Amino acid sequence: MNEGIAPFLSPLTLILGGGLLVIGVLSLFDLHFLKSKTQEKLALIAGLALILATEAMFVTSGASGRYFEGQKIDVTDCEFQVERDFPMERKANPKLIETKIRACMDTLGYDWSEEHEHCQEARLSTNVFCYMPRAPMQRSIVAWQMRFE
């Protein structure tokens, strides 16, 4: 989700979804605000859907957690750490730098993956598209975010 749109849409979807959810739940207690029970059931379903959509918007946005944005930071941190620890190896032994960056990312919980098209364009240890998190939920979210890059 675009970080410019999320702050604008999330309050609207939460208010609208919460209102519809309340109308739907109150109808279960015989407090009716709509003309038919079908409309109240649809309000309950629509309210839940809007709240879940808002949650999905937060989970998949770059500001919500580490995920793909965090992965970019991890690659940069590993590159900096390896360059700092082996400053003369960049020209003398570039394979060592590549190996150390991959090892650093492995330590942080990432697998090397050449599936993404941007990784196939440049198979470098500093290419963020060549890594996938090992944790299943993070892996699925990052894979979903990478589709839009």
Side-chain angles (χ1 to χ4, degrees):
M1 171 59 75
N2 185 341
E3 283 79 17
I5 296 172
F8 175 74
L9 285 181
S10 58
L12 296 175
T13 57
L14 284 175
I15 291 169
L16 185 61
L20 290 172
L21 182 67
V22 167
I23 288 172
V25 169
L26 288 177
S27 72
L28 299 174
F29 297 109
D30 285 331
L31 295 170
H32 304 286
F33 293 96
L34 299 175
K35 292 181 183 178
S36 71
K37 289 186 178 189
T38 304
Q39 288 178 342
E40 291 170 340
K41 289 177 184 176
L42 289 174
L44 178 65
I45 292 168
L48 284 172
L50 282 171
I51 289 174
L52 290 175
T54 305
E55 182 63 27
M57 185 171 43
F58 283 129
V59 167
T60 59
S61 72
S64 69
R66 303 263 313 142
Y67 305 118
F68 189 56
E69 291 299 318
Q71 185 170 322
K72 291 177 186 177
I73 293 168
D74 288 342
V75 169
T76 304
D77 286 346
C78 283
E79 180 182 14
F80 172 74
Q81 181 182 8
V82 170
E83 293 279 347
R84 183 193 63 209
D85 293 344
F86 303 97
M88 303 307 288
E89 300 299 321
R90 176 50 81 186
K91 291 182 182 180
N93 189 2
K95 277 291 189 196
L96 176 71
I97 299 292
E98 291 277 323
T99 306
K100 292 290 185 181
I101 292 173
R102 283 191 191 187
C104 176
M105 289 298 287
D106 183 61
T107 304
L108 293 177
Y110 295 96
D111 289 329
W112 178 261
S113 172
E114 296 180 1
E115 294 174 11
H116 197 275
E117 64 186 47
H118 293 319
C119 178
Q120 293 172 4
E121 293 169 0
R123 291 179 175 96
L124 301 170
S125 63
T126 55
N127 187 346
V128 71
F129 291 99
C130 293
Y131 296 100
M132 289 299 284
R134 281 193 202 105
M137 183 178 163
Q138 289 179 354
R139 189 177 194 95
S140 62
I141 291 172
V142 168
W144 189 79
Q145 289 176 324
M146 282 180 160
R147 288 185 192 138
F148 299 102
E149 294 290 329

